Amino acid sequence: MNIIFLGPPGAGKGTVAAIVKEQLGLVHISTGDLFRSNIKNETALGKQVKAILASGGLVSDEITCKMVEERLKEKDLEHGFILDGFPRTIPQADELKKFAKIDAVIEFAIPLEDVVRRLSGRRMCPSTGRIYHIEFDPPKKEGFDDETGEPLIQRDDDKEEAIRHRLDVYTKQTEPLIAYYKKEGLLKTFDASVSSKHVAQCIIKLSKGEI
Ligand code: ADP
């Protein structure tokens, strides 16, 4: 099964993907993670996109689509994949049709005020990528990773100015995809303001044809 996770930043797409992929044997493809790993490894692509990510703006459709198309050519996708963070614009959705078949689009529905609260409290372990929240999912020792003991960091784009910009970009460029996929009959909407575990269970039921 090939699915798209669609929703604003901070809706819990990454957290839900981590649960669902285990249970359904899907590969989680997050364009944000792909860009961040290119930045960390200082690849040519990473150098090209670093400033764009820090500002909270979008990488060009051309660069992003090429990266996803290449990733989907790899041989580890026999049970299917979750696309998280892609497509984010109508041109990206049009392009995706040329190189992949999508079975369902999961909309993570959540009020934007909830998202600001979630994102501004998000902290990350720099080496493992594990995510915490200062209020909802704090580490055992404030400011440090439970496993590695490293100091947690805040992503540049989780700082307030960048959050506002990301939400603005989401509303203008990505939200129109909800109507786009509704029209194609692929859209399934779930309430993402509840726990990630609950959203994950709903998606698993959906995959089994139970809802
Ligand atoms: P978020 O928490 O905003 O969902 P992601 O980790 O998905 O964050 O993405 C981080 C950044 O990577 C985005 O703000 C954008 O700069 C870039 N990015 C990710 N996916 C795309 C995409 N499909 N098109 C353009 N830029 C993207």
Side-chain angles (χ1 to χ4, degrees):
M1 187 164 85
N2 298 335
I3 50 186
I4 290 172
F5 280 6
L6 181 62
K13 301 186 296 290
T15 313
V16 172
I19 306 173
V20 169
K21 73 168 183 182
E22 291 296 327
Q23 302 214 19
L24 300 181
L26 304 177
V27 175
H28 175 205
I29 301 173
S30 152
T31 42
D33 287 349
L34 289 175
F35 285 133
R36 280 186 291 275
S37 110
N38 274 279
I39 292 170
K40 199 169 159 200
N41 297 324
E42 297 181 350
T43 66
L45 173 65
K47 286 181 189 142
Q48 223 176 337
V49 303
K50 189 172 179 185
I52 304 173
L53 262 83
S55 75
L58 290 186
V59 177
S60 76
D61 290 335
E62 196 190 342
I63 292 177
T64 310
C65 290
K66 203 167 134 227
M67 179 178 76
V68 175
E69 187 175 2
E70 288 306 310
R71 177 64 187 87
L72 293 184
K73 283 182 188 156
E74 285 175 36
K75 300 276 173 255
D76 56 347
L77 306 173
E78 68 270 23
H79 297 296
F81 55 78
I82 299 168
L83 275 180
D84 164 8
F86 182 90
R88 246 179 168 92
T89 65
I90 302 254
Q92 288 181 11
D94 287 339
E95 194 61 28
L96 176 64
K97 280 190 189 151
K98 298 181 191 160
F99 57 82
K101 157 123 184 33
I102 299 300
D103 302 300
V105 177
I106 310 291
E107 181 200 349
F108 286 62
I110 183 166
L112 293 187
E113 316 81 270
D114 289 20
V115 156
V116 174
R117 197 144 157 244
R118 285 188 183 184
L119 290 175
S120 53
R122 180 156 77 174
R123 299 290 182 274
M124 188 173 82
C125 172
S127 63
T128 65
R130 178 163 169 189
I131 302 288
Y132 297 87
H133 192 281
I134 51 173
E135 202 182 327
F136 310 128
D137 180 21
K140 292 193 184 99
K141 183 173 171 216
E142 193 185 321
F144 296 91
D145 185 67
D146 289 350
E147 256 167 59
T148 67
E150 285 167 85
L152 300 177
I153 57 160
Q154 183 176 36
R155 271 168 46 177
D156 283 341
D157 60 351
D158 280 345
K159 297 185 177 147
E160 207 181 317
E161 186 68 12
I163 291 175
R164 261 189 267 120
H165 184 47
R166 281 157 74 200
L167 291 180
D168 200 38
V169 168
Y170 174 78
T171 309
K172 293 201 179 98
Q173 309 222 51
T174 310
E175 216 169 38
L177 289 174
I178 295 172
Y180 179 104
Y181 284 118
K182 197 180 240 171
K183 201 166 151 213
E184 303 215 333
L186 291 175
L187 196 76
K188 308 279 174 205
T189 302
F190 293 114
D191 177 7
S193 61
V194 297
S195 80
S196 304
K197 277 202 188 106
H198 178 76
V199 181
Q201 283 316 319
C202 291
I203 296 169
I204 289 162
K205 279 192 189 145
L206 176 78
S207 75
K208 293 179 180 157
E210 291 170 12
I211 47 175

